[in-house]
Amino acid sequence: FGAMLEPGVIKKLDEVVVNRIAAGEIIQRPANALKELLENSLDAKSSHIQVNIKAGGLKLLQIQDNGTGIRKEDLSIVCERFTTSKLSKFEDLTEIATFGFRGEALASISHVAHLSIQTKTAIERCGYKASYSDGKLLGSAKPCAGNQGTIITIEDLFYSMPQRRQALKSPAEEFQKISDVVSKYAVHNPQVGFVLRKHGEQPALKTQANSTRSENIRAIYGAAIAKELMEFSCKDDMFKFELECQLTQVNYAAKKSTLLLFINQRLVESSALKAAVDAVYSTYLPRGQHPFVYMSLTMPSHNLDVNVHPTKHEVHFLYQDEIIERIKQQLEAQLLGSNATRSFYKQLKLPGATQLEDTQVLDKTQRINEKDMVRTDATEQKLDKFFKLVDKLDSGSSSETPIASQDESFRVVAARKSKEVRLSSVLDMQHLIERKCHVQLRGILKQLVYVGCVDERRAIFQHETRLYMCNTGAFSEELYYQRLVYEFQNCVEISVVPPLPLEQLLLIALNSQAAGWVPEDGDKSELAANATAILQQKAPIMREYFALRISDDGQLESLPALLPQHMPSRAQLPVYLLRLATEVDWEEETQCFESFCRETARYYAQLDWQDDGDMRGQHWHMEHVLFPGFKKYLLPPGRLKRELYELTNLPTLYKVFERC
């Protein structure tokens, strides 16, 4: 019994076994071997790379380049482990900027295949050819004729590892994986010409040297992707990264997700970044559909750890979560403006439709449960029919302009201008709005179906199978703020007819409860005169940037028009003008624009709700002015989630009401 508890003797593994284990970690399939060799060729500054394949790379995998070549004296050790021209001490790992830096690729290949190298450098008069087995040079390098560059030939891959060979896919599938690797490097390196062919056949892939990424994407991935591509780049000084990106607009979708990700010029994978890209596109694409995205991320090499995984396909980097969040914001900002070529598809059959063809298609695929069916026709049901109010309305009232908007004192008169905004303060405000936009909430607003108005501050809408109530005041205030920022210098005017005397309006405001006047503040007439002087002094700013016009003799002549058919409150106008004089910071540019836009948005969000029970104008305004504005323009920040309440959803209701 005592002998059974004796510990096992620890022995040192034979060197050949050690090397074969390492080789199995690094060279998992022909495509891995090719990736290592492609990177060596690119490090050698090649401008043409040709790849020749037989039986999916298992019988023959040959790569030929016109790079710098390998020195004759290095041929004896080039296939030993940990021989490299890229590193000399451990600290160099933190500054590594080349691909094959650990000196394991060629050594690993020589342990699992028959490897030969033919090479010529620029200064040597002839080339040399050498063969290797288990990391050692067989015989000596023999002189031969040849052009500058290197030809590496790998034959009978995994001949010494039959179990690995059997685990691989068919030659056709292995060739597809090889083609995938060459395609990605060809897109990323358009200055290099690539050729991939099966032995004895015409090229399966060919790109020209000194091409462009867009041309290579078209040649390799097809015109359908190329015509939908949009390109952008960004630089972030805080987290020290640069991004170059080519991505498809929302009109393109495929069943398979394609992400070409290069970090510091190396083809890598990042599940976190892939998930972030999919999350952004999920708002725009039907379920199960994916985009094509090429991304090249560059960061300081000391922030990046490429030494995580034996094949180096997995990387870790500093500030990973923060950088991915920044990239996500940039993608969302790009996609928000990419609807120009959008095609829309109906996802589900509408209730009551009796089209035989649709029914047959649905039956053939799968049945949609009632609880998952989404009503998308806004004219089907509205809250109005449950109130007596509907009796007073004509059947065509939804298309008429309500009485409130036909007010003669406010008239939209000016034609649209189109001045380019160059003020950095305003551009920063626009970028901040885009960065703070909540993707999920934006998706809800884009696809909402209006249900009804509850009161002056709340309305109900549907999104997919969920019913929400929102604070329309908070949403509309943010909407008007954003409209002012994006329509800066280009606001349409609402003409005030006849013009209103500014000083009298300010006196009315001071007499109102909202002003909170106390005797210590001083004489109201004097205060009104001072406020009038401030507004007249700042009138050129308001006229030039926001279409708010005040005449030289102190008459209010116009206000900005921010939404079609929206007229600001007449009752709240005096207090708004008083707040412009007292609350706007007129001295500092950014603060001036920010506080003016916020005050104006607060005023525009206030409506003249009537207490006489006739709510036609207000209901019409909510449905036909505000909610279309939310759908079309609003980029909701995350804080607006607090103003949205989920009342119920269809699956929950089915649980309550379904019959056994």
Side-chain angles (χ1 to χ4, degrees), residues 125-137:
R125 294 173 64 185
C126 69
Y128 291 89
K129 188 170 184 178
S131 298
Y132 300 86
S133 178
D134 289 334
K136 299 288 187 286
L137 178 65

Side-chain angles (χ1 to χ4, degrees), residues 473-621:
F475 275 72
S476 60
E477 191 173 316
E478 183 63 29
L479 172 65
Y480 293 127
Y481 168 76
Q482 292 182 11
R483 295 297 294 143
L484 278 162
V485 173
Y486 282 101
E487 292 294 301
F488 187 85
Q489 280 185 284
N490 291 297
C491 289
V492 175
E493 284 183 8
I494 298 175
S495 185
V496 180
V497 183
L500 300 172
L502 205 55
E503 198 163 339
Q504 285 185 36
L505 289 172
L506 291 166
L507 263 176
I508 293 169
L510 287 164
N511 285 321
S512 72
Q513 214 171 346
W517 179 87
V518 289
E520 291 78 48
D521 294 336
D523 180 58
K524 287 181 184 175
S525 302
E526 202 175 307
L527 290 171
N530 290 342
T532 303
I534 291 170
L535 291 178
Q536 282 192 277
Q537 185 191 345
K538 306 301 177 185
I541 295 174
M542 294 187 282
R543 181 177 64 248
E544 172 67 21
Y545 297 141
F546 300 108
L548 193 152
R549 190 189 301 276
I550 295 170
S551 66
D552 294 340
D553 59 344
Q555 303 279 325
L556 177 67
E557 294 181 338
S558 73
L559 292 167
L562 303 182
L563 266 189
Q565 304 197 73
H566 172 77
M567 294 296 167
S569 163
R570 287 169 296 168
Q572 303 294 332
L573 179 61
V575 173
Y576 163 61
L577 293 167
L578 180 63
R579 289 186 67 85
L580 285 186
T582 57
E583 302 298 324
V584 173
D585 181 351
W586 292 104
E587 302 309 315
E588 201 271 319
E589 183 182 293
T590 305
Q591 283 302 315
C592 170
F593 294 151
E594 175 71 21
S595 52
F596 180 92
C597 290
R598 288 291 176 196
E599 286 298 335
T600 306
R602 190 175 294 124
Y603 162 54
Y604 273 62
Q606 296 171 324
L607 300 173
D608 290 331
W609 282 75
Q610 297 160 8
D611 298 324
D612 58 6
D614 185 0
M615 312 279 275
R616 281 183 295 174
Q618 290 79 0
H619 281 255
W620 189 96
H621 183 274

Side-chain angles (χ1 to χ4, degrees), residues 451-465:
V451 175
C453 171
V454 178
D455 59 24
E456 61 191 83
R457 300 289 294 178
R458 289 170 296 182
I460 295 173
F461 67 84
Q462 175 190 335
H463 175 253
E464 293 184 349
T465 56

